[in-house]
Amino acid sequence: MTRKTLPRPLLDQWEWQDRASCRDVDPAVFFSPQNERGPARSLREERAMAICRNCPVREPCAAFAAATKEAYGVWGGQTESRRRPRAR
Ligand code: SF4
């Protein structure tokens, strides 16, 4: 097997998370509890996006969420509804 056919080391794919602004933040800020709606949801998402705003790894985080089609949570300053493709 040549080196080109080997998968990338898993650590390379997650290394950016070491510098994440959300690293020590309660994940509940980024992921909605069941049945969360309206103003409660908006406030939580705004709080998460404020943390993302100055995060040094915002770009790789958003790219990761897009590449993995992450369905839940705020990633890279984008809410799940913002990442979702719009119906035509
Ligand atoms: S962009 Fe937001 S969700 Fe992504 S690592 Fe930074 S703080 Fe966390």
Side-chain angles (χ1 to χ4, degrees), residues 1 11 13 16 19 23 37-40 48 53 56-58 61 64 68-69 76 78 80 84-85 88:
M1 186 182 300
L11 191 59
Q13 296 173 37
W16 56 269
R19 293 177 286 128
R23 190 169 174 184
R37 299 271 188 278
R53 204 162 289 130
V57 293
R58 188 174 169 164
C61 178
F64 176 83
T68 59
K69 298 184 176 21
Q78 295 183 339
E80 54 204 52
R84 202 172 298 140
R88 292 182 187 208

Side-chain angles (χ1 to χ4, degrees), residues 4-33:
K4 274 186 168 181
T5 60
L6 292 172
R8 287 176 52 205
L10 203 53
L11 191 59
D12 284 358
Q13 296 173 37
W14 293 96
E15 197 175 35
W16 56 269
Q17 292 192 346
D18 284 345
R19 293 177 286 128
S21 294
C22 60
R23 190 169 174 184
D24 298 319
V25 177
D26 184 349
V29 175
F30 290 84
F31 296 92
S32 66

